[in-house]
Amino acid sequence: MRKKLGILICTLLVSGCGNVNSSALNKVNKRNGEYAQLSAQYVEASKRFASTSFSKITNDNFIFSPMSIETTYALILDGSDGNSKKQLSDALNFSNVDYQNETSRFIKNNMINNAETKLSIDQSLWIDYDIVPNIKDDFIKNATDKYFTELYKINYAKSKKDMVNWAMKKSHSKIKMSEEEFGDGPLVIMNSIYLKANWDNQFDERDDTDEEFNNLDNSKSKVTMMNNYYQRMAVYSLDDAIVFSLKLSSGLSVNYLLPNEIKSSEYLNERVDNLLNYSSLDWDMYNVHLATPKFQEETNIDVKDILIKEGVNDIYNKNNADLSSMSSKGLYIEKSVQKSHISFDHKGVEGASVTSAILTPTSPGPAMKEMEIKLNRPFIYSITDNDGLPLFIGKKMSFK
């Protein structure tokens, strides 16, 4: 009787900690170089994937990390072949992109650790002794060389607590997984992103006001508005909306797109490209009186559903999946979800996201104009790195 085979791939994008008793077989050094410029093709591909993924999510309020999904599935792409590889490459817009080296640069560029900012990307690969001979050498090499993956050779049944603790440690306890989530294994890939950054211009709690948010259904909800004043802020204009950016520490940004009046969820979906590429819009300078809500958001999304809608079918079908560059045993992705968390307060922003994919056997200047901006109606927002890549994107339609 064949031993049941399953691979769980998890991406944790997060913002205490458990103790990992297992020891990594390799040392990972992601801070061994200067900032590397990303190619325009990779940046454009990542923004397009973020935009199309955003439009596939039906929740009124949500937060998710497109870069979490992309980074996870870049490694899955390494393990795929044939039509499975083509479908996934097309969905990620990687057909003409050197995605391995670009993803490597993205990871290294987002390693920040100072008094104001904590941003790190970590990955680990946990392999049960019994499955080691089936995992392809090239897949292991790419995981370690391109994605800086920590390797663990383990007794799978006895190491689930170590996996839980690894996630807790890397996420600063923002992401709590259970041993049951790791199933029967015997191979797990986890990718973690931790983000915590301060506002360049922090909000004073004494300036808070209790106000109303105008929900999508025209009802109203009481919210705490954080207030601040910005001199010489660039405000970008659409016919019926504005886009503006608030600086975080270490060059990170929170970007908002706010319609001039209450608009539908579909309208905001159509404006994501403007949010991600706002620098191409017409703009003017203002002194801005800003009121923005203090809030946190948590969302569960079905990554499998998103990618199927983008034409990725074979890797989720046990009869068609071709992941032969990952393993000599037939595998397909049975389930893939993402859990995300974001919080905005007076000091700054903290974000967390967990993406999981479970693989199972295929067979066993002049006087400034004044502007008042009040985020008291539905809006969308993103948090971007120095290259403008969206680490997180969210939509806020109501406070209920």
Side-chain angles (χ1 to χ4, degrees):
M1 180 177 182
R2 292 187 177 181
K3 181 175 180 179
K4 184 176 181 182
L5 170 65
I7 298 180
L8 170 64
I9 297 182
C10 304
T11 301
L12 317 175
L13 287 103
V14 296
S15 26
C17 301
N19 295 317
V20 181
N21 295 321
S22 299
S23 298
L25 301 178
N26 62 324
K27 296 294 184 181
V28 176
N29 182 10
K30 298 184 281 286
R31 300 177 177 85
N32 58 352
E34 299 296 325
Y35 173 86
Q37 185 67 45
L38 299 176
S39 71
Q41 293 88 346
Y42 175 75
V43 171
E44 172 60 24
S46 297
K47 288 182 176 181
R48 277 192 287 142
F49 177 72
S51 179
T52 55
S53 298
F54 185 98
S55 66
K56 303 298 189 298
I57 302 173
T58 59
N59 311 47
D60 278 349
N61 302 318
F62 66 82
I63 180 68
F64 86 115
S65 175
M67 295 308 297
S68 167
I69 298 173
E70 179 185 292
T71 304
T72 301
Y73 275 80
L75 185 54
I76 295 174
L77 182 61
D78 282 356
S80 64
D81 281 301
N83 202 47
S84 295
K85 191 178 191 71
K86 183 181 186 306
Q87 289 178 356
L88 185 53
S89 179
D90 289 347
L92 296 173
N93 307 300
F94 279 169
S95 299
N96 297 307
V97 176
D98 179 13
Y99 72 90
Q100 291 177 335
N101 287 318
E102 294 292 338
T103 301
S104 181
R105 295 183 189 106
F106 165 72
I107 293 172
K108 289 192 289 186
N109 286 349
N110 285 290
M111 301 305 297
I112 305 173
N113 184 15
N114 56 49
E116 300 293 320
T117 311
K118 307 294 181 187
L119 175 59
S120 63
I121 302 174
D122 296 282
Q123 297 195 106
S124 60
L125 175 60
W126 307 72
I127 312 173
D128 185 83
Y129 297 116
D130 290 343
I131 197 66
V132 168
N134 300 106
I135 305 303
K136 300 294 183 70
D137 290 342
D138 286 346
F139 180 76
I140 295 294
K141 180 175 175 57
N142 285 337
T144 56
D145 294 356
K146 301 299 184 181
Y147 307 107
F148 311 103
T149 304
E150 301 170 17
L151 294 178
Y152 296 88
K153 188 163 65 172
I154 57 170
N155 179 318
Y156 192 91
K158 296 181 178 180
S159 300
K160 294 180 184 180
K161 185 175 181 179
D162 282 341
M163 300 176 205
V164 170
N165 288 341
W166 188 93
M168 289 278 284
K169 179 180 179 180
K170 299 299 183 180
S171 70
H172 293 238
S173 297
K174 289 296 180 181
I175 298 297
K176 298 178 176 64
M177 303 184 74
S178 67
E179 294 184 31
E180 290 74 20
E181 291 181 77
F182 292 102
D184 297 325
L187 187 151
V188 172
I189 303 170
M190 288 190 283
N191 173 279
S192 99
I193 299 179
Y194 171 75
L195 167 66
K196 188 173 185 179
N198 291 341
W199 301 111
D200 269 4
N201 188 1
Q202 293 189 349
F203 294 84
D204 191 330
E205 191 170 354
R206 294 171 296 182
D207 296 328
D208 287 357
T209 54
D210 293 327
E211 301 195 31
E212 291 182 333
F213 186 91
N214 301 289
N215 298 315
L216 178 63
D217 62 2
N218 292 317
S219 65
K220 298 180 185 296
S221 297
K222 294 290 186 181
V223 298
T224 297
M225 285 287 187
M226 304 183 296
N227 293 271
N228 217 333
Y229 182 73
Y230 299 85
Q231 293 183 313
R232 301 186 61 81
M233 177 187 283
V235 179
Y236 299 79
S237 299
L238 296 162
D239 290 340
D240 49 6
I242 59 172
V243 182
F244 62 97
S245 179
L246 300 184
K247 296 300 181 183
L248 295 168
S249 50
S250 303
L252 304 174
S253 300
V254 181
N255 313 303
Y256 297 90
L257 186 148
L258 179 68
N260 296 339
E261 59 185 16
I262 296 177
K263 294 287 188 179
S264 68
S265 182
E266 291 73 21
Y267 167 91
L268 290 175
N269 289 346
E270 294 170 358
R271 296 295 183 271
V272 175
D273 284 338
N274 297 129
L275 175 68
L276 298 179
N277 300 285
Y278 66 88
S279 61
S280 63
L281 300 173
D282 294 333
W283 60 277
D284 206 344
M285 300 293 291
Y286 295 88
N287 291 336
V288 173
H289 301 263
L290 175 69
T292 183
K294 176 185 177 182
F295 73 97
Q296 64 180 26
E297 196 77 60
E298 294 183 352
T299 310
N300 297 337
I301 62 170
D302 189 335
V303 175
K304 177 179 175 180
D305 180 64
I306 290 173
L307 289 176
I308 285 177
K309 290 176 180 177
E310 295 187 18
V312 180
N313 296 294
D314 284 7
I315 60 174
Y316 302 114
N317 186 313
K318 66 181 179 180
N319 296 318
N320 298 329
D322 185 351
L323 297 175
S324 54
S325 286
M326 181 187 299
S327 171
S328 59
K329 289 182 177 290
L331 302 170
Y332 76 103
I333 301 175
E334 183 178 27
K335 180 181 179 182
S336 184
V337 297
Q338 184 185 91
K339 301 177 182 179
S340 300
H341 169 91
I342 198 79
S343 62
F344 294 88
D345 61 23
H346 302 87
K347 291 183 178 180
V349 178
E350 191 166 19
S353 189
V354 178
T355 305
S356 63
I358 302 173
L359 283 77
T360 56
T362 55
S363 60
M368 298 302 298
K369 294 170 282 187
E370 297 282 334
M371 176 180 283
E372 180 176 334
I373 299 175
K374 188 171 292 188
L375 282 87
N376 63 352
R377 54 193 179 275
F379 59 89
I380 55 178
Y381 58 94
S382 66
I383 300 175
T384 55
D385 67 3
N386 287 290
D387 294 292
L389 291 176
L391 300 174
F392 297 89
I393 308 181
K395 181 193 293 185
K396 192 65 179 173
M397 303 297 292
S398 62
F399 281 82
K400 289 188 172 181

